[in-house]
């Protein structure tokens, strides 16, 4: 195993252990604060289409954010995990437009194709950590690195994290894609 892969695995284990220690109350409060910061950014305020995701487990919560985006008339795209690990995209129309999928995911019922992410004005992605230069650490499947490769240059990309998951030493490999910002309960960090 290359040194960067081993370092990524160690960092993933460390972050996931920290997430397991957070209470449901803290997760909910953090989700609301993160959403409020995101909704106040000029990028999100002027976006017509936002690509986001449905959080699961100890991930920074997205339900308040998704509801707020929809309430303000934005088109919201959500991922569908394909068998090869790539991401298809569908439109979110409320919780009734989601179905249970493998790995505990909730996904939209419609399919717009893998290139639909290129139509988003803002792309919000999950992650486990981000470096001071915007290098994002995901879960290791490469799904979001592939999706981010389809996002036009200049599109605002932002990872949702806990406060203690920003500015970490994230090992990177040639296929890894950086983001332009991180959203946490304390605010927005731009890279």
């Amino acid at each position: 195993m290359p040194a960067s892969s081993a370092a990524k695995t160690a960092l993933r284990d460390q972050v996931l252990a920290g997430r397991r220690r957070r209470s449901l109350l803290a997760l909910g409060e953090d989700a609301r604060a993160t959403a409020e910061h995101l909704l106040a950014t000029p990028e999100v305020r002027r976006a017509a289409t936002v690509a986001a995701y449905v959080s699961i487990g100890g991930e920074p919560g997205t339900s308040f954010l998704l509801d707020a985006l929809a309430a303000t008339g934005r088109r919201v795209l959500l991922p569908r995990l394909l068998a090869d690990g790539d991401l298809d995209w569908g439109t979110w129309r409320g919780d009734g437009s989601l179905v249970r999928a493998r790995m505990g995911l909730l996904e939209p019922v419609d399919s717009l194709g893998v290139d639909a992410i290129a139509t988003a004005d803002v792309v919000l992605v999950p992650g486990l950590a981000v470096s001071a230069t915007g290098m994002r650490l995901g879960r290791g499947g490469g799904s979001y690195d592939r999706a981010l490769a389809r996002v036009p240059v200049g599109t605002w990309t932002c990872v949702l994290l806990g406060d203690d998951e920003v500015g970490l030493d994230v090992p990177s490999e040639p296929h890894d894609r950086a983001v332009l910002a991180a959203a946490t309960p304390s605010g927005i960090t731009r890279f």
Side-chain angles (χ1 to χ4, degrees):
M1 177 184 300
S4 61
S5 293
K8 283 182 175 183
T9 298
L11 183 54
R12 282 186 189 102
D13 290 346
Q14 174 189 340
V15 171
L16 289 170
R19 285 186 175 183
R20 283 190 292 274
R21 289 191 291 271
R22 291 187 180 136
S23 71
L24 287 177
L25 177 62
L27 284 172
E29 291 170 349
D30 289 352
R32 184 172 291 274
T34 300
E36 288 171 359
H37 291 302
L38 277 167
L39 294 167
T41 64
E43 294 87 355
V44 173
R45 281 197 320 262
R46 67 176 173 249
T49 300
V50 175
Y53 63 99
V54 178
S55 59
I56 59 169
E59 289 181 329
T62 58
S63 61
F64 179 79
L65 174 65
L66 294 174
D67 288 339
L69 289 169
T72 56
R74 286 168 182 79
R75 178 178 179 231
V76 178
L77 302 178
L78 296 178
R80 296 167 35 108
L81 183 62
L82 298 174
D84 67 357
D86 208 343
L87 296 176
D88 183 5
W89 296 86
T91 308
W92 185 70
R93 295 182 179 88
D95 291 339
S97 67
L98 300 175
V99 294
R100 291 223 170 268
R102 61 192 170 115
M103 298 172 49
L105 300 174
L106 289 172
E107 300 178 339
V109 293
D110 66 335
S111 170
L112 302 173
V114 296
D115 293 323
I117 192 171
T119 67
D121 304 302
V122 166
V123 178
L124 305 176
V125 298
L128 295 173
V130 70
S131 73
T133 60
M135 191 53 62
R136 176 191 150 274
L137 177 69
R139 295 221 176 224
S143 299
Y144 275 93
D145 289 318
R146 285 186 257 178
L148 288 170
R150 297 181 181 106
V151 174
V153 173
T155 302
W156 198 61
T157 55
C158 181
V159 60
L160 281 60
L161 297 170
D163 290 321
D164 58 344
E165 298 166 354
V166 176
L168 301 181
D169 184 17
V170 174
S172 65
E173 298 173 80
H175 68 272
D176 291 330
R177 300 290 174 163
V179 292
L180 298 177
T184 70
S186 295
I188 305 295
T189 302
R190 295 174 185 273
F191 305 111

